[in-house]
Amino acid sequence: MRFWSGLGAVALCLVLGSFASAATVTTDTFGSGNNQFDIQFVTISSNTNPTSGYGIVDYDYRMGVFEITNEQWNQFKASVGGTVTGDPSTAYDSDAFYTGASQPTNNVSWYEAAQFVNWLSTSTGHQAAYNFVDGELTLWDSSEAADGSHLYRHKDAYYFLPSEDEWVKAAYWNGTELQTYATEDDSIPVANVDSSYDRFSDGPWNVGSGSKELNGTYDMMGNVLEWVESPFIYSASTEYAASSRRAMRGGCYTMVNVGGLKSSVHSNRLPEYESSGVGFRIASSSAVPEPGSLIIWACGSLGAFVLRRRRR
């Protein structure tokens, strides 16, 4: 009897820990004083993956719950004072066309987004993801690049722009298959409710104003198009050139129908491109054990201890 009650305690702890793991949201803080801001992340698990196509990511990582806002961008600009040694002099010069504090920052190039990410990293004691030398983006050597082949991202990067695979998995992977839409039940998004497409006259909306998506994110189905780290693959010879076109995901308020929100759709622009319909969100390593995993480990250890004690 004691054995079964102890086993039940282990099982209960494992179940509770599993639920905690599935709902893991963490918050990181950047800057200081009046320029301090938070970014929330949701953990995306490596437990399951598509077998082909986009979305195959065999490691845990964290995806930004929301797109980066104008307020966060402006706090970043104030923190760095507009210049960072070794970064392009134009890094922080673009101004959002839509300027609401909680609207997604927009009119920002891939290069500018990459330097925002670099500052998040270096200001918190981490390795910069992207290699800017004398104002120019330079590819990492294969010995320093993530997986030895992702030449934009350093292997020790903690904060980074999501790759296209990371972005797609966070938006559409339900543990069994890639959904067509990022809605929780794969239903067709409703304009101005689940997503901000069909809002051309209004512009982008405040981040998080729509419905919660499949894996705990918001606005991956719209608001602004989002830069991803990956080159837009159209030629093997130019795939990882510093000036290669970059992929974009997510749809935009300028859309007039739901077709552009499908998981099969992506677009691209040159990395210097800026538009009122383009912004970004960030991703992060999940190197620190998530709270849910710690709960599972702790409960499992406690349950095992109880079993040992009751067997004596």
Side-chain angles (χ1 to χ4, degrees):
M1 185 64 181
R2 289 179 179 176
F3 172 81
W4 291 113
S5 62
L7 187 61
V10 174
L12 178 59
C13 284
L14 289 174
V15 169
L16 291 174
S18 297
F19 278 121
S21 179
T24 299
V25 174
T26 51
T27 301
D28 293 5
T29 301
F30 306 92
S32 61
N34 292 334
N35 297 321
Q36 183 171 295
F37 62 93
D38 295 333
I39 298 178
Q40 291 186 339
F41 297 88
V42 62
T43 299
I44 308 299
S45 173
S46 60
N47 288 344
T48 59
N49 276 291
T51 56
S52 61
Y54 289 108
I56 301 173
V57 185
D58 60 0
Y59 47 84
D60 291 358
Y61 62 100
R62 300 187 301 160
M63 180 61 72
V65 174
F66 307 107
E67 294 161 326
I68 296 301
T69 66
N70 283 319
E71 182 176 24
Q72 291 168 326
W73 180 264
N74 289 332
Q75 288 168 320
F76 150 67
K77 284 178 36 174
S79 295
V80 300
T83 59
V84 173
T85 302
D87 286 348
S89 60
T90 58
Y92 318 113
D93 290 348
S94 68
D95 293 315
F97 186 85
Y98 293 100
T99 59
S102 296
Q103 288 180 300
T105 198
N106 53 89
N107 210 39
V108 59
S109 71
W110 187 97
Y111 293 129
E112 291 169 335
Q115 289 171 84
F116 177 93
V117 171
N118 272 2
W119 177 80
L120 296 183
S121 299
T122 57
S123 68
T124 53
H126 295 99
Q127 166 67 44
Y130 307 107
N131 189 22
F132 287 95
V133 178
D134 295 329
E136 299 292 334
L137 178 71
T138 302
L139 301 181
W140 294 108
D141 181 86
S142 59
S143 65
E144 297 178 291
D147 292 334
S149 59
H150 299 303
L151 304 182
Y152 294 149
R153 183 189 301 177
H154 193 277
K155 62 183 177 63
D156 297 323
Y158 190 72
Y159 298 107
F160 39 82
L161 294 172
S163 69
E164 192 162 14
D165 285 317
E166 290 163 345
W167 199 101
V168 168
K169 186 174 185 180
Y172 301 111
W173 181 246
N174 64 17
T176 302
E177 61 182 356
L178 286 176
Q179 296 187 170
T180 301
Y181 299 107
T183 46
E184 289 187 291
D185 59 358
D186 203 14
S187 59
I188 296 174
V190 178
N192 308 330
V193 175
D194 294 316
S195 170
S196 62
Y197 79 91
D198 196 25
R199 290 177 61 88
F200 182 79
S201 61
D202 297 325
W205 62 9
N206 291 344
V207 301
S209 297
S211 299
K212 184 178 179 180
E213 294 166 336
L214 174 63
N215 288 310
T217 58
Y218 291 81
D219 301 317
M220 297 187 88
M221 291 184 295
N223 229 0
V224 290
L225 275 164
E226 299 178 19
W227 288 114
V228 296
E229 182 183 78
S230 307
F232 185 76
I233 299 174
Y234 61 93
S235 170
S237 63
T238 59
E239 182 176 337
Y240 266 100
S243 60
S244 293
R245 286 176 171 265
R246 304 299 201 269
M248 307 172 98
R249 282 278 181 170
C252 177
Y253 67 87
T254 59
M255 293 170 51
V256 295
N257 63 65
V258 74
L261 303 180
K262 294 181 178 180
S263 56
S264 59
V265 175
H266 64 168
S267 56
N268 71 94
R269 287 290 188 274
L270 291 171
E272 62 267 26
Y273 178 77
E274 296 179 357
S275 167
S276 64
V278 176
F280 68 103
R281 76 180 65 219
I282 70 164
S284 170
S285 169
S286 184
V288 178
E290 41 184 295
S293 299
L294 293 175
I295 291 173
I296 293 173
W297 177 85
C299 287
S301 298
L302 177 61
F305 174 76
V306 170
L307 283 174
R308 287 196 300 269
R309 290 293 301 271
R310 291 187 175 182
R311 282 175 173 173
R312 292 177 179 175

